[in-house]
Amino acid sequence: MKRPIIVAAVFLAAISLILLNVNYRLSILFAALFFSATVVCAFYKSFRECTVIAVCLLLLCLSFYNTYTARINTCKNLYKDEATVTGVVTDSSYRYQDTVLYYVEITDSTIPQAIGTTALLYGYNLSAGQGMTVKMDVRLSFIEDSYSFYSNDIYLKGYVDKVHSVKDLPSAKNFLGKLRKNIRNIIFKNLPYDIATTINGLTVGDRSYEEDSFYAAVKNCGVTHVMVVSGMHMAIVCGSFYQLLKFLKCPSLVASLSTLAVTLAFMALCGFSPSVIRSGVMYIIMLVGYLLHRQPDALNSLSVAFVIMMINNPFLIYNVGFLLSVTSTAGIIILNPLLLKLIRIDKSKIKPLRIIAELATVTISAQLATLPICLYYFGWISPWAILVNILISHAVTVAVVSAFIGIILFAVPFFQPLSDLSFKICSFMTAYFNNIIMFFGKL
């Protein structure tokens, strides 16, 4: 068994589905069995790969049991209980007229069960932003049988009756909230509104300003993976930074450690969403490989990221975004080289055709891998995905890079003309792929 971590990832997915759909108490039995298997395997060096698998499964079962008892069982009896809660706003992703949907990480509450959980709270005329600490009177209830919410560590929903205070506190979340706000202000100040809403989503993952019609067009075109922060954007931002440092002749150690710090900062900036964590962990593993002078294996890196995230939260098996991110990446890693071999295009002779072919094979690989999930959850797939991906992929790359350059230069004195130029390039490219998405999304 050359790649035990890949086998462990497959077993973790299967065991999570079993535990979630049968009986959570079975996780104790599974944990005992896997612990016994670990002890047995430890005595046989020839079965060290089995030990890796057994340890991963043991940790998953213990994590699932702890999650179920510490979150679901403690919150089950909550039903429209009135409470005063204090918490940190982690996101405000939905806005309609005076209504805002807040994700609040509860740090204190008159209902002890609510402390430590994250709640979906609807409010009216609230001015709290990401990273701010709020104190409010709410009516809370448990979100029953909703694995998609549990995958985001959300177990409560509620309505805000009264807000007592909204404060800025010196915390990491507060700093990130202010940073997101500053970036958003720079974007909207330098770009037209319809362009800024798209770039705001592509840079910091905040899609709350996008119109519903545009969001529907993105889904209809099958380019959701391009228009949300994921592995592609991680490669653009962190890869560009690493290549810049190498161009400046920085030592490999400095370049790798600096890029590692940028990767973690970018993950935090985007709110540690499942797709961002998955791509970030893979990129970190790649950087560690560079530090150790070893060539990282993409499929192993994906499996490590999958295992880490599943052990942290077994309910991620029901997170559609996470599943699409993992399967599309696996499809590109496994299927894309096979498709490129089939078409047999000589790199030296037909370079433009090669670029188009590579874009097409990447899209086809991702589409094939995600096909079962798309059919199960959505009931359809986009007929325009391959064409639209070919038309917009490079434009999105240029737009994201120029947007970040513009944001950085905007804060530097005497670089305003270069910042304006970067934003003009960003605006032109974004208008181009926005129009393509809207055109094909309406067909």
Side-chain angles (χ1 to χ4, degrees), residues 20 63-80 103-106 113-121 140-158 312-316:
L20 289 169
S63 173
F64 176 73
Y65 183 78
N66 178 67
T67 302
Y68 207 102
T69 54
R71 288 288 181 265
I72 295 178
N73 283 346
T74 55
C75 294
K76 262 185 177 178
N77 296 325
L78 279 178
Y79 182 71
K80 294 184 178 178
Y103 294 81
V104 177
E105 189 178 285
I106 299 174
Q113 302 99 303
I115 298 175
T117 65
T118 300
L120 267 71
L121 301 178
L140 293 174
S141 61
F142 178 59
I143 301 177
E144 296 184 9
D145 300 326
S146 187
Y147 295 150
S148 61
F149 284 118
Y150 300 162
S151 65
N152 291 312
D153 290 325
I154 297 170
Y155 303 93
L156 298 173
K157 62 180 178 180
N312 180 64
N313 185 358
F315 287 102
L316 276 175

Coordinates of all heavy atoms in Angstrom, one line a residue, residues 20 63-80 103-106 113-121 140-158 312-316:
L20 N -23.5 9.1 10.4 CA -24.5 10.1 10.4 C -25.9 9.6 10.1 O -26.9 10.2 10.4 CB -24.1 11.2 9.3 CG -22.9 12.1 9.7 CD1 -22.4 12.9 8.5 CD2 -23.3 13.0 10.8
S63 N -14.0 12.3 17.2 CA -14.4 13.6 16.8 C -15.9 13.7 16.6 O -16.6 14.6 17.1 CB -13.7 14.1 15.6 OG -14.2 15.3 15.2
F64 N -16.5 12.7 15.9 CA -17.9 12.7 15.6 C -18.7 12.6 16.9 O -19.7 13.3 17.1 CB -18.3 11.6 14.7 CG -19.7 11.4 14.4 CD1 -20.4 12.4 13.6 CD2 -20.5 10.4 15.0 CE1 -21.8 12.3 13.4 CE2 -21.8 10.3 14.8 CZ -22.5 11.3 14.0
Y65 N -18.3 11.7 17.8 CA -19.0 11.5 19.1 C -19.0 12.7 19.9 O -20.0 13.2 20.5 CB -18.4 10.3 19.8 CG -19.1 10.0 21.1 CD1 -20.3 9.3 21.1 CD2 -18.6 10.4 22.3 CE1 -21.0 9.0 22.3 CE2 -19.3 10.2 23.5 CZ -20.5 9.5 23.5 OH -21.2 9.2 24.7
N66 N -17.8 13.4 20.0 CA -17.6 14.6 20.7 C -18.5 15.7 20.2 O -19.1 16.5 20.9 CB -16.2 15.0 20.8 CG -16.0 16.3 21.5 OD1 -16.1 16.4 22.7 ND2 -15.6 17.4 20.8
T67 N -18.5 15.8 18.8 CA -19.3 16.9 18.2 C -20.8 16.7 18.5 O -21.5 17.6 18.8 CB -19.1 16.9 16.7 OG1 -17.7 17.1 16.4 CG2 -19.9 18.0 16.0
Y68 N -21.2 15.4 18.4 CA -22.7 15.1 18.5 C -23.1 15.4 20.0 O -24.1 16.0 20.2 CB -22.9 13.7 18.2 CG -24.4 13.4 17.7 CD1 -24.7 13.3 16.4 CD2 -25.4 13.4 18.6 CE1 -26.0 13.1 15.9 CE2 -26.7 13.2 18.2 CZ -27.0 13.0 16.9 OH -28.3 12.9 16.4
T69 N -22.3 15.0 20.9 CA -22.7 15.1 22.3 C -22.5 16.6 22.8 O -23.3 17.1 23.6 CB -21.9 14.2 23.2 OG1 -20.5 14.4 23.0 CG2 -22.2 12.7 22.9
A70 N -21.5 17.2 22.3 CA -21.2 18.6 22.8 C -22.0 19.7 22.2 O -22.1 20.7 22.7 CB -19.7 18.9 22.7
R71 N -22.5 19.4 21.0 CA -23.2 20.4 20.2 C -24.7 20.0 20.0 O -25.6 20.7 20.5 CB -22.6 20.7 18.9 CG -21.2 21.4 19.0 CD -21.4 22.8 19.4 NE -20.2 23.5 19.4 CZ -19.4 23.7 20.5 NH1 -19.9 23.2 21.7 NH2 -18.3 24.4 20.5
I72 N -24.9 18.9 19.4 CA -26.3 18.6 19.0 C -27.2 18.2 20.3 O -28.3 18.8 20.4 CB -26.3 17.4 18.0 CG1 -25.7 17.9 16.7 CG2 -27.7 16.9 17.7 CD1 -25.6 16.8 15.6
N73 N -26.6 17.3 21.1 CA -27.4 16.9 22.3 C -27.7 18.1 23.2 O -28.7 18.2 23.9 CB -26.7 15.8 23.0 CG -26.9 14.5 22.3 OD1 -27.7 14.3 21.4 ND2 -26.1 13.5 22.7
T74 N -26.7 19.0 23.4 CA -26.8 20.1 24.3 C -27.8 21.2 23.8 O -28.3 22.0 24.5 CB -25.5 20.7 24.6 OG1 -24.9 21.1 23.4 CG2 -24.6 19.8 25.4
C75 N -28.0 21.2 22.4 CA -28.8 22.3 21.9 C -30.2 21.8 21.5 O -31.1 22.6 21.1 CB -28.1 22.9 20.6 SG -26.6 23.8 20.9
K76 N -30.4 20.5 21.6 CA -31.7 19.9 21.1 C -32.9 20.4 21.7 O -34.0 20.6 21.1 CB -31.6 18.3 21.2 CG -31.2 17.6 20.0 CD -31.3 16.1 20.2 CE -31.0 15.4 18.9 NZ -31.1 13.9 19.0
N77 N -32.9 20.7 23.0 CA -34.0 21.2 23.7 C -34.3 22.7 23.5 O -35.3 23.2 24.1 CB -33.9 20.9 25.2 CG -33.8 19.4 25.5 OD1 -34.5 18.6 24.7 ND2 -33.0 19.0 26.4
L78 N -33.5 23.4 22.8 CA -33.7 24.8 22.6 C -34.8 25.0 21.5 O -34.7 24.5 20.4 CB -32.4 25.5 22.1 CG -31.4 25.9 23.2 CD1 -30.2 26.5 22.6 CD2 -32.1 26.8 24.2
Y79 N -35.9 25.7 21.9 CA -36.9 26.0 20.9 C -37.5 27.3 21.2 O -38.3 27.5 22.2 CB -38.0 24.9 20.9 CG -39.1 25.1 19.9 CD1 -38.8 25.0 18.5 CD2 -40.3 25.5 20.3 CE1 -39.8 25.2 17.6 CE2 -41.3 25.7 19.3 CZ -41.0 25.6 18.0 OH -42.0 25.8 17.0
K80 N -37.2 28.3 20.5 CA -37.7 29.7 20.6 C -37.5 30.2 22.1 O -38.4 30.9 22.6 CB -39.2 29.7 20.2 CG -39.4 29.5 18.7 CD -40.8 29.6 18.3 CE -40.9 29.4 16.8 NZ -42.3 29.5 16.3
Y103 N -24.1 35.8 10.9 CA -23.5 34.6 11.5 C -22.8 35.1 12.8 O -21.8 35.8 12.6 CB -22.5 33.8 10.6 CG -23.2 33.2 9.4 CD1 -23.5 34.0 8.2 CD2 -23.5 31.9 9.3 CE1 -24.1 33.5 7.1 CE2 -24.1 31.3 8.2 CZ -24.4 32.1 7.1 OH -25.0 31.6 6.0
V104 N -23.2 34.7 13.9 CA -22.7 35.2 15.2 C -22.1 34.0 16.0 O -22.8 33.0 16.3 CB -23.7 35.9 16.0 CG1 -23.1 36.4 17.3 CG2 -24.3 37.1 15.2
E105 N -20.8 34.1 16.3 CA -20.2 33.1 17.2 C -20.4 33.5 18.6 O -19.9 34.5 19.1 CB -18.7 33.1 16.8 CG -17.9 31.9 17.5 CD -16.5 31.9 17.1 OE1 -16.2 31.5 16.0 OE2 -15.6 32.4 17.9
I106 N -21.2 32.8 19.3 CA -21.7 33.2 20.7 C -20.6 32.9 21.7 O -20.2 31.8 21.9 CB -23.0 32.4 21.0 CG1 -24.1 32.8 20.0 CG2 -23.5 32.8 22.4 CD1 -25.4 32.0 20.2
Q113 N -26.3 26.4 26.9 CA -26.1 25.6 25.8 C -25.7 26.3 24.5 O -25.1 25.7 23.6 CB -27.4 24.8 25.4 CG -28.0 24.0 26.5 CD -29.1 24.7 27.3 OE1 -28.9 25.8 27.8 NE2 -30.3 24.0 27.3
A114 N -26.0 27.6 24.5 CA -25.7 28.4 23.3 C -24.2 28.8 23.2 O -23.7 29.1 22.1 CB -26.6 29.6 23.2
I115 N -23.5 28.8 24.3 CA -22.1 29.3 24.4 C -21.2 28.4 23.6 O -21.3 27.2 23.7 CB -21.6 29.4 25.8 CG1 -22.5 30.4 26.6 CG2 -20.2 29.8 25.9 CD1 -22.2 30.5 28.1
G116 N -20.4 29.0 22.7 CA -19.5 28.2 21.9 C -20.0 27.8 20.6 O -19.3 27.2 19.7
T117 N -21.3 28.0 20.3 CA -21.9 27.7 19.0 C -22.0 28.9 18.1 O -21.8 30.0 18.6 CB -23.3 27.1 19.2 OG1 -24.2 28.1 19.7 CG2 -23.3 25.9 20.1
T118 N -22.3 28.6 16.9 CA -22.5 29.7 15.9 C -23.9 29.7 15.5 O -24.5 28.6 15.2 CB -21.6 29.6 14.7 OG1 -20.2 29.6 15.1 CG2 -21.8 30.7 13.7
A119 N -24.6 30.9 15.5 CA -26.0 30.9 15.2 C -26.3 31.8 13.9 O -25.5 32.8 13.7 CB -26.7 31.5 16.4
L120 N -27.3 31.4 13.2 CA -27.8 32.2 12.1 C -28.9 33.2 12.7 O -29.9 32.7 13.2 CB -28.5 31.4 11.0 CG -27.6 30.9 9.8 CD1 -26.6 29.9 10.3 CD2 -28.5 30.3 8.8
L121 N -28.6 34.5 12.7 CA -29.5 35.4 13.3 C -30.0 36.4 12.3 O -29.2 37.1 11.6 CB -28.9 36.1 14.4 CG -28.3 35.3 15.6 CD1 -27.6 36.1 16.6 CD2 -29.4 34.5 16.2
L140 N -34.0 32.0 20.2 CA -33.2 30.9 19.6 C -33.9 29.6 19.5 O -34.8 29.3 20.3 CB -31.9 30.7 20.5 CG -30.9 31.8 20.5 CD1 -29.8 31.4 21.5 CD2 -30.3 32.0 19.2
S141 N -33.6 28.8 18.5 CA -34.1 27.5 18.4 C -33.1 26.6 17.7 O -32.2 27.1 17.0 CB -35.4 27.4 17.6 OG -35.3 27.9 16.3
F142 N -33.2 25.3 17.9 CA -32.2 24.4 17.3 C -32.5 24.1 15.8 O -33.7 24.0 15.5 CB -32.2 23.1 18.1 CG -31.3 22.0 17.6 CD1 -30.0 22.2 17.6 CD2 -31.8 20.8 17.3 CE1 -29.1 21.2 17.1 CE2 -31.0 19.8 16.8 CZ -29.6 20.0 16.7
I143 N -31.5 24.0 15.0 CA -31.7 23.6 13.6 C -31.6 22.1 13.5 O -30.6 21.5 13.6 CB -30.5 24.2 12.7 CG1 -30.5 25.8 12.8 CG2 -30.7 23.8 11.3 CD1 -29.4 26.4 12.1
E144 N -32.8 21.5 13.4 CA -32.9 20.1 13.4 C -32.6 19.4 12.0 O -33.0 19.9 11.0 CB -34.3 19.6 13.9 CG -34.6 20.1 15.3 CD -35.9 19.6 15.8 OE1 -36.5 18.7 15.1 OE2 -36.4 20.0 16.9
D145 N -31.9 18.3 12.1 CA -31.6 17.5 10.9 C -31.1 18.3 9.7 O -31.6 18.2 8.6 CB -32.9 16.7 10.5 CG -33.4 15.8 11.6 OD1 -32.5 15.3 12.3 OD2 -34.6 15.6 11.8
S146 N -30.2 19.2 10.0 CA -29.7 20.0 8.9 C -28.2 19.9 8.8 O -27.4 20.7 9.3 CB -30.1 21.5 9.1 OG -29.8 22.3 8.0
Y147 N -27.7 18.8 8.2 CA -26.3 18.5 8.1 C -25.5 19.6 7.4 O -24.3 19.8 7.7 CB -26.0 17.2 7.5 CG -26.6 16.0 8.3 CD1 -27.0 14.8 7.6 CD2 -26.7 16.0 9.6 CE1 -27.5 13.8 8.3 CE2 -27.2 15.0 10.4 CZ -27.6 13.8 9.7 OH -28.1 12.8 10.4
S148 N -26.1 20.3 6.4 CA -25.4 21.3 5.7 C -25.0 22.5 6.6 O -24.0 23.1 6.4 CB -26.3 21.8 4.5 OG -27.5 22.4 5.0
F149 N -25.9 22.7 7.6 CA -25.6 23.8 8.6 C -24.5 23.3 9.6 O -23.6 24.0 10.0 CB -26.8 24.3 9.3 CG -27.7 25.2 8.5 CD1 -29.0 24.8 8.2 CD2 -27.2 26.4 8.0 CE1 -29.8 25.6 7.4 CE2 -28.0 27.2 7.3 CZ -29.3 26.8 7.0
Y150 N -24.7 22.0 10.0 CA -23.7 21.5 11.0 C -22.3 21.5 10.4 O -21.3 21.6 11.1 CB -24.1 20.1 11.4 CG -25.4 19.9 12.0 CD1 -26.0 18.6 12.0 CD2 -26.1 21.0 12.5 CE1 -27.3 18.5 12.6 CE2 -27.3 20.8 13.1 CZ -27.9 19.5 13.2 OH -29.2 19.4 13.7
S151 N -22.2 21.3 9.1 CA -20.9 21.3 8.4 C -20.2 22.7 8.6 O -18.9 22.7 8.4 CB -21.0 20.9 7.0 OG -21.7 21.9 6.2
N152 N -20.9 23.7 8.9 CA -20.3 25.0 9.1 C -20.3 25.4 10.6 O -20.2 26.6 10.9 CB -21.1 26.1 8.3 CG -20.9 26.0 6.8 OD1 -19.8 25.8 6.3 ND2 -22.0 26.0 6.1
D153 N -20.5 24.4 11.4 CA -20.5 24.6 12.9 C -21.7 25.5 13.3 O -21.5 26.2 14.3 CB -19.2 25.1 13.4 CG -18.1 24.1 13.3 OD1 -18.4 22.9 13.5 OD2 -16.9 24.5 13.0
I154 N -22.8 25.4 12.6 CA -24.0 26.2 13.0 C -25.1 25.2 13.5 O -25.5 24.3 12.7 CB -24.5 27.0 11.8 CG1 -23.4 28.0 11.3 CG2 -25.8 27.7 12.1 CD1 -23.7 28.7 10.0
Y155 N -25.5 25.5 14.7 CA -26.5 24.6 15.3 C -27.8 25.3 15.8 O -28.7 24.7 16.2 CB -25.9 23.8 16.5 CG -24.7 23.0 16.1 CD1 -23.4 23.6 16.2 CD2 -24.8 21.7 15.6 CE1 -22.3 22.8 15.8 CE2 -23.7 21.0 15.2 CZ -22.4 21.6 15.3 OH -21.3 20.9 14.9
L156 N -27.7 26.6 15.7 CA -28.8 27.5 16.2 C -29.3 28.5 15.2 O -28.5 28.9 14.4 CB -28.4 28.2 17.5 CG -28.0 27.3 18.7 CD1 -27.5 28.2 19.8 CD2 -29.2 26.5 19.2
K157 N -30.5 28.8 15.2 CA -31.0 29.9 14.4 C -31.9 30.8 15.3 O -32.3 30.4 16.4 CB -31.9 29.4 13.2 CG -33.2 28.6 13.7 CD -34.0 28.1 12.5 CE -35.2 27.3 13.0 NZ -36.0 26.8 11.9
G158 N -32.1 32.0 14.9 CA -32.8 32.9 15.7 C -33.2 34.3 15.1 O -32.7 34.6 14.0
N312 N -11.7 17.2 11.9 CA -12.1 18.4 12.6 C -13.6 18.6 12.6 O -14.2 19.0 13.6 CB -11.5 19.7 11.9 CG -11.9 20.9 12.6 OD1 -11.6 21.2 13.8 ND2 -12.6 21.8 11.9
N313 N -14.3 18.2 11.5 CA -15.7 18.3 11.5 C -16.3 17.2 10.5 O -16.3 17.4 9.3 CB -16.2 19.7 11.0 CG -17.7 19.8 11.0 OD1 -18.4 18.9 11.4 ND2 -18.1 21.0 10.7
P314 N -16.7 16.1 11.1 CA -17.2 15.0 10.2 C -18.5 15.3 9.4 O -18.7 14.7 8.4 CB -17.6 13.9 11.3 CG -16.8 14.2 12.5 CD -16.7 15.7 12.5
F315 N -19.2 16.4 9.8 CA -20.4 16.8 9.1 C -20.0 17.4 7.7 O -20.9 17.7 6.9 CB -21.2 17.8 9.9 CG -21.9 17.1 11.0 CD1 -21.5 17.2 12.3 CD2 -23.1 16.4 10.8 CE1 -22.1 16.6 13.4 CE2 -23.8 15.8 11.9 CZ -23.3 15.9 13.1
L316 N -18.8 17.7 7.4 CA -18.4 18.3 6.1 C -18.8 17.4 5.0 O -18.8 17.8 3.8 CB -16.9 18.5 6.1 CG -16.4 19.8 6.7 CD1 -14.9 19.9 6.7 CD2 -17.0 21.0 6.0

